[in-house]
Amino acid sequence: MKVEKYTKVIVKNNSIFTDNLFTYKIPDFLADNLQIGHRVLVPFGKGNKPIEAYVFVITDEAEDNINFKEIFDILDEHPIFKEEDINLIKWMKNRYLCTYMDCISLLHPKGFKVDSFKEVSLSEKIQNLNDEDFYKKIGGLSKNKQFVINKILDSKNKIKVEKLIKEKALEDGVNPNDLKLSSTMNNLLLKMQEDELIYINWNYKSQKNEKKICYVSLSMDAEDIDDYLSHNKIRLGGKQKEIVQFLKHNEEIEINDLIKLLNVGKQSIISLHDKDLITFTIKDYYRRPKEFYDENKKEIILNEEQKYAIDKITSEMFDENKKPYMIHGVTGSGKTEVYMEIIDYALKQGLDSIFLVPEISLTPQTISRLKNRFGDIVGVFHSKLSEGEKHDVFKAIKNGKIRILIGARSALFAPFNSLGVVIIDEFHESAYKSEKNPKFSAIEVGKYMALKRNITLVLGSATPSIEEYYRAKNCEYNLITIKERANKKPLPKIELVDMKNELNMGNKSMFSYQLQKEIEDTLNKNNQVILFLNRRGYGNFVSCRKCGYVFSCKNCDISLTYHKHKNVGTCHYCGYEEDIPKTCPECESQYVKPFGIGTEKVEEEIKRLFKNAKVLRMDKDTTSKKGELDSILNKFKNKEANILIGTQMLSKGLDFEDVTLVGVLSADMMLNFPDFKSFETTFQLITQVSGRAGRSEKEGKVILQSYDTDHYVIRRALNYDFEGFYEDEIKVRKIFNYAPFNNMISVVVSGKSEKIVEKNANNMYNSITYLLRERGIEDFDFILGPNPCAISKINQNYRYQLLFKDDNIEINLLKGIIKYICITKKEIVFDKDINISIDVNPNNIL
């Protein structure tokens, strides 16, 4: 007896109403080929529109008494997802409270596209009529019906409905997007189908964003050509002889190159092909993004600490149940060399590697070092690649042409067949946590993959995050410490300057007297300076000193940052800009002035104080265009400039051998940020930026300017005392029950009307507390809010937030209730125009 087979699929639709498994019958002709992970085409909805879907389950069992639809087709020869990918998607959906499609989009190869469209053809009844009866039948139809029949005949008995409507619009002289015309035509077609004049059906076209290249070669050995021509009495023209002569000495050539090189026409080439003298071979072309930064190869001698780290990790690579590794190495300790040795060992064992960096555009030196070491098997993957380039990277990985992939967090989902190592460099960086759905943590996903697939996971940083270091201390990681710099030189000495004393001495400049002196000495010695300030623009805000008016964003609850070179105030959240007038719009006084400092003002002041200095500025304003960042770094590396001013971009692993001085202009600026991670972020940035000095043979120095010189973060940073900072910070976290001592879930409710947003946030609170009371829970101290967010309006959307801590409540129960209210029952609990953003363990709560 034949056993019916069924499949459960996720359809490619972003609606929450379709966020579940749909069951389809597998037709007999596909039963032997269909596998879990295949991309298929299924009929969906009342109109049975063909839609992409992904096979999650294949089974012999299905609910009784249900007439299941059958899948149409399998779209690819091989499954695009492995079973382990399906399991990862399910885990992420549950972990980050998002939809299946949110997760699938991360793993789905780019450049795959299915276009579904309705087609109209003549019915069999009409097609079977003889000519006399056909014209008699058509002649009795209305003008519009005759129009449809004639267009079908003109298109060889098949025309898209969309094209038919356009043709009708052209004839009637109306807009093809006219809804009335579209409705009229669709009703006409349905009536014609009822009258058995036409047949309407769905069709589809599956496309891949692939590029192919045609290569030309001789179809026989060069010495056999003359005999073949003579035997077959073939005469060749001058250009054809030239092509044959060229191919006798060249194995193959791309057809367009051949045309340009010999100045021949395509017809000459095609004619040779028709005479069986040449062969066309179609090959895949892999689009590769251009790199502008160049790094010289260096002779590296590993020290004992580096060797220990490499031996420890490589010797355990094939151990079952091994823990992830955390390398806590000071800045300049040669962690990248350790990573490359681990990758090299994995390659020799037949294993592939993923190397994650926080932001790909800020790490050109790392990319260059990997490519110098490993060559063309190194691929790059990040969000700024075109869809075609992304498609080619995934295809090259599947075909084994790329064995090492370097990229931002999304590179973690690349389809390697034998992945053995995942390295997450500078893992403390906030960029490893996604701000879009699914709001995943690359570290958490990496740990899941390591556990389920026996992959070696390596995290590296000079300033580990407090949460992950706490876990390392509690033996969740193999902790490897590298205390020495690779060049055995000491870490640059940090000297603290109290800016309150500078004011008392009459120095109103942003630069202390000591920093000015050190800059001058450094430039005189032909060395380089890095100046760090984590704020771009010229001034923090623009205000009227007479009435106190502050120029604010029209879309967000935030003041505008002043940019002097354009004389505009800019919102760094939504991009809104406005010209800053000379007079106050409130009191019409002329006391309008920018306050505070940004990198643009630092640049202006440096140029005023040091007339002969060659200055570069590196922030979002100067690196927004393609190639600008690489250009700045190349100029600084080649000593075309001797002072580099920048924001936190400077902390991302830059390595310049002539930088001997780093100035941190306002070390305590970030301490007062309204976020529980602000102390950690401050310590990390000071340590990372300080580590840019003295990375080669020359000794480095750091000048740390601060108004709050007694804060424990500043005091610990002075001595690079991460352990001491960790002990201070973990006590504070424990008192307030912040991570790593609990989980936190942030739910932000946003919309255009503040009153409606507030009402919906309260509705959510009431719905959640009602469900908790049903389970016997009466204490709701673990819920903070609903309250306006710290930034209460962004891009004209008002924002209210509820924060949940898993104090005295089971986290899975809490997540289940939030998911039920915010996703499953969203249409009931919330108004139509309300947006909900759920973030598990957010990076910040602004």
Side-chain angles (χ1 to χ4, degrees), residues 499-507:
M499 294 303 284
K500 296 194 294 290
N501 292 340
E502 294 289 314
L503 277 174
N504 293 335
M505 290 188 290
N507 180 13

Side-chain angles (χ1 to χ4, degrees), residues 699-716:
E699 200 170 309
K701 182 183 279 189
V702 180
I703 303 298
L704 189 68
Q705 298 184 167
S706 179
Y707 287 93
D708 189 354
T709 55
D710 293 324
H711 198 289
Y712 73 84
V713 173
I714 304 297
R715 287 287 159 191
R716 297 297 187 185

Side-chain angles (χ1 to χ4, degrees), residues 130-141:
N130 59 42
D131 287 352
E132 185 181 340
D133 290 338
F134 175 81
Y135 289 112
K136 187 178 178 183
K137 178 79 174 174
I138 301 306
L141 297 176

Side-chain angles (χ1 to χ4, degrees), residues 31 38 83 88 113 192 225 234 268 311 315 452 493-494 554 575 590 632 647 749 764 835 844:
H38 255 132
E83 200 149 353
L88 175 60
K113 189 179 177 184
M192 291 178 73
I225 290 285
I234 297 172
S268 298
D311 292 344
S315 65
K452 297 294 183 181
K493 186 184 177 187
I494 302 178
K554 299 292 186 278
Q590 294 193 349
I632 290 169
T647 56
V749 181
M764 178 185 166
N835 301 309
N844 65 67

Side-chain angles (χ1 to χ4, degrees), residues 532-536 540 596-599 602 664-674 678 682 685-686 705-708 714:
F532 168 73
L533 179 72
N534 202 27
R535 181 165 279 153
R536 60 187 167 117
N540 305 349
I597 59 169
T599 49
V602 174
V664 180
L665 299 188
S666 184
D668 50 359
M669 179 190 286
M670 297 157 289
L671 288 175
N672 299 318
F673 216 56
S678 60
T682 302
L685 281 172
I686 291 172
Q705 298 184 167
S706 179
Y707 287 93
D708 189 354
I714 304 297

Side-chain angles (χ1 to χ4, degrees), residues 251-469:
E251 195 172 316
E252 65 176 10
I253 185 172
E254 202 264 303
I255 191 167
N256 291 319
D257 290 344
L258 183 64
I259 289 167
K260 286 177 187 174
L261 201 64
L262 301 183
N263 194 24
V264 296
K266 265 192 180 174
Q267 193 51 50
S268 298
I269 300 171
I270 291 168
S271 177
L272 288 172
H273 182 262
D274 292 341
K275 294 168 182 172
D276 294 328
L277 284 164
I278 61 172
T279 301
F280 293 151
T281 307
I282 307 298
K283 293 185 180 181
D284 289 327
Y285 175 75
Y286 294 95
R287 290 157 281 204
R288 296 229 171 180
K290 290 179 183 176
E291 278 111 30
F292 301 93
Y293 188 84
D294 184 43
E295 176 81 358
N296 298 326
K297 282 188 179 180
K298 294 178 185 176
E299 189 69 35
I300 302 293
I301 299 170
L302 298 170
N303 62 31
E304 291 307 310
E305 287 184 316
Q306 289 174 306
K307 287 176 184 173
Y308 170 78
I310 294 160
D311 292 344
K312 169 79 174 162
I313 294 168
T314 55
S315 65
E316 297 173 358
M317 194 167 283
F318 293 98
D319 289 2
E320 294 285 338
N321 304 318
K322 60 181 173 289
K323 294 176 187 175
Y325 301 88
M326 180 185 291
I327 300 177
H328 178 207
V330 297
T331 54
S333 61
K335 291 186 290 294
T336 305
E337 287 302 321
V338 172
Y339 302 149
M340 290 199 290
E341 290 296 325
I342 294 165
I343 289 168
D344 190 45
Y345 179 83
L347 270 176
K348 288 169 181 171
Q349 312 308 310
L351 298 175
D352 304 319
S353 300
I354 292 173
F355 188 129
L356 296 188
V357 291
E359 292 178 65
I360 198 77
S361 61
L362 300 181
T363 48
Q365 289 176 314
T366 306
I367 297 169
S368 197
R369 286 170 73 180
L370 261 78
K371 292 206 166 188
N372 279 340
R373 172 82 180 261
F374 299 108
D376 288 339
I377 61 169
V378 176
V380 179
F381 187 86
H382 54 92
S383 59
K384 289 185 180 175
L385 297 183
S386 69
E387 191 177 84
E389 286 169 339
K390 287 178 182 176
H391 176 85
D392 287 357
V393 170
F394 268 43
K395 188 171 72 172
I397 288 168
K398 282 207 164 188
N399 293 340
K401 293 183 180 295
I402 289 176
R403 303 287 310 281
I404 302 160
L405 186 67
I406 182 168
R409 60 176 182 260
S410 56
L412 192 55
F413 305 101
F416 282 104
N417 296 314
S418 52
L419 182 63
V421 173
V422 171
I423 292 165
I424 306 182
D425 190 27
E426 307 294 1
F427 73 90
H428 64 276
E429 288 281 355
S430 61
Y432 287 122
K433 180 79 160 64
S434 173
E435 297 299 318
K436 297 177 182 176
N437 283 342
K439 295 186 174 71
F440 72 94
S441 157
I443 294 166
E444 286 183 349
V445 174
K447 286 198 281 189
Y448 173 88
M449 290 167 64
L451 177 68
K452 297 294 183 181
R453 307 183 194 177
N454 196 30
I455 289 167
T456 298
L457 175 65
V458 181
L459 310 183
S461 176
T463 53
S465 65
I466 296 297
E467 296 100 296
E468 298 306 325
Y469 198 69

